[in-house]
Amino acid sequence: MVELKDGVRLYQYKGFWIPSPFLHPFIFNQPIFQLQDTDIVLSTFPKSGTTWLKALAFAIVNRSHYPLKHSPLLTNNSHQLVPCLERDLYAKIQSPPRLIMATHSPYGLLPVSILNCNCRIVYLCRNPLDQFVSHWHFRVRLREQTLLPVSLEEAFEMMCNGVQSFGPIWGHMLEYWRASIEQPEKILFLKYEDLKEDIKFYVKKLANFLGCPFSEEEESQEMIKEIAKLCSFDNMKSLEVNKKGKFSNGFKNDLFFRKGEVGDWKKHLTPSMAERFEKLLEEKLEESGLTF
Ligand code: A3P
């Protein structure tokens, strides 16, 4: 166990550093309610675009129930619309019609009920240096009124040793990467940077993968473009609910919207830090075919 300066406790479990509030469900690998083949699991390493992926999947899957103009995404933070597997769902035995849930779980620690059914898994990862900088800012803002400032150098050292929530990040990404190669019909592996590059292509790809492709009519009505716009960083950040809203635990919704840029790490890390991590990552991902 390590206790970080901000009080977060990480426990090493089957090769991954799990934050204490999440440990119980992982250890007991509790059976959850019976999953339907149509259910969807969105999996991410923290700070890799979970908020975005939740919004995209919600908008795509529910587009026939909610016209985009009246989307619940306009008045709710996407975390309120897509529950977290470990925090919100284990405790409840339920089986809603088409459930979208999210998790930061490593692939190998997913409940067997997810692994053994035909539900789809979408995994989103991000350049680990941008993920690191994003997470560091998040922790600094969370602690604004409390404890000591988190040192970037110290956090970086821990990341290089794999000590971060749900880390090491390379292990987390590799497990999903390999599983997506073995079962491409079950697991879609996405990168934040690719979505930023061509979001319309990926909205379409997601809809196809989730079994709800856009009809010709929808395409001609520019539904793909509209979903991309609804879920865009600028739009989501500007919504009243995300500027002023709060979670029940007091977290402000705006914590989840910072810059939404690719390559922001260059403004925070020295070239030697980046070089050290990139070398390490190259070794860890060697021969996997996964690159950043
Ligand atoms: P930055 O801190 O680099 O800006 P998560 O949702 O997994 O917690 O990840 C948070 C990161 O995703 C933050 O990155 C945040 O700004 C960015 N983000 C949030 N909503 C986004 C969106 N709609 N499009 C792109 N990036 C988004």
Side-chain angles (χ1 to χ4, degrees):
M1 192 273 283
V2 289
E3 181 158 352
L4 310 182
K5 272 195 182 156
D6 46 8
V8 173
R9 287 183 173 185
L10 301 179
Y11 289 85
Q12 198 169 32
Y13 181 65
K14 297 195 176 171
F16 288 93
W17 289 96
I18 309 295
S20 53
F22 292 84
L23 195 63
H24 190 270
F26 282 126
I27 291 183
F28 293 100
N29 195 355
Q30 292 128 314
I32 48 173
F33 48 85
Q34 189 61 42
L35 283 156
Q36 314 285 322
D37 289 351
T38 51
D39 289 343
I40 297 164
V41 179
L42 307 177
S43 185
T44 54
F45 198 77
K47 301 295 132 200
S48 297
T50 321
T51 317
W52 191 15
L53 183 63
K54 283 182 172 185
L56 288 166
F58 184 91
I60 291 170
V61 169
N62 293 303
R63 65 186 190 272
S64 59
H65 304 302
Y66 305 109
L68 296 185
K69 266 193 280 183
H70 303 294
S71 171
L73 284 162
L74 295 168
T75 45
N76 294 269
N77 180 278
S78 61
H79 292 285
Q80 287 153 333
L81 299 172
V82 176
C84 163
L85 171 63
E86 292 80 17
R87 223 181 359 233
D88 308 321
L89 291 177
Y90 269 115
K92 299 170 196 152
I93 305 296
Q94 53 165 304
S95 185
R98 186 167 194 191
L99 179 67
I100 311 175
M101 67 192 99
T103 181
H104 294 313
S105 171
Y107 181 74
L109 298 185
L110 285 172
V112 280
S113 42
I114 289 181
L115 298 175
N116 291 345
C117 81
N118 289 326
C119 72
R120 309 281 158 95
I121 301 176
V122 181
Y123 182 72
L124 177 65
C125 65
R126 185 180 192 184
N127 177 311
L129 293 178
D130 276 339
Q131 182 280 335
F132 167 74
V133 166
S134 179
H135 197 234
W136 181 72
H137 278 285
F138 182 76
R139 285 173 63 193
V140 168
R141 282 208 53 204
L142 266 187
R143 291 158 43 99
E144 254 163 16
Q145 294 129 358
T146 54
L147 312 158
L148 301 162
V150 182
S151 134
L152 182 90
E153 288 71 22
E154 211 177 324
F156 182 79
E157 194 58 39
M158 291 183 93
M159 175 186 57
C160 290
N161 292 321
V163 186
Q164 54 189 153
S165 294
F166 301 97
I169 191 168
W170 49 83
H172 201 278
M173 296 188 301
L174 270 179
E175 280 194 358
Y176 280 95
W177 173 249
R178 292 192 173 122
S180 74
I181 293 170
E182 277 165 27
Q183 304 171 75
E185 68 300 329
K186 183 175 174 77
I187 303 159
L188 178 65
F189 189 98
L190 299 174
K191 290 181 188 165
Y192 182 95
E193 294 72 23
D194 293 341
L195 267 64
K196 285 293 268 188
E197 179 97 15
D198 190 351
I199 185 61
K200 284 198 267 169
F201 174 83
Y202 284 98
V203 167
K204 198 167 169 175
K205 194 174 171 102
L206 255 176
N208 289 340
F209 180 75
L210 298 177
C212 44
F214 293 98
S215 64
E216 276 182 24
E217 194 190 345
E218 285 178 320
E219 291 214 24
S220 70
Q221 291 166 348
E222 306 229 66
M223 176 77 89
I224 298 175
K225 190 172 149 198
E226 290 304 314
I227 288 181
K229 208 163 102 188
L230 173 69
C231 302
S232 68
F233 178 80
D234 288 343
N235 184 55
M236 288 179 73
K237 188 180 166 95
S238 72
L239 295 172
E240 207 56 19
V241 61
N242 290 327
K243 284 202 284 196
K244 305 240 171 86
K246 281 186 185 172
F247 289 84
S248 52
N249 62 7
F251 279 21
K252 292 181 177 163
N253 291 355
D254 74 355
L255 272 175
F256 291 88
F257 305 92
R258 192 180 63 93
K259 283 188 171 177
E261 285 174 5
V262 171
D264 185 48
W265 64 263
K266 291 182 188 133
K267 298 194 184 107
H268 296 86
L269 304 178
T270 63
S272 72
M273 284 167 114
E275 198 180 315
R276 174 179 165 200
F277 186 78
E278 278 163 359
K279 199 161 165 260
L280 174 73
L281 191 67
E282 215 177 289
E283 280 168 26
K284 299 290 181 187
L285 301 184
E286 202 189 12
E287 291 178 12
S288 67
L290 177 60
T291 53
F292 284 91

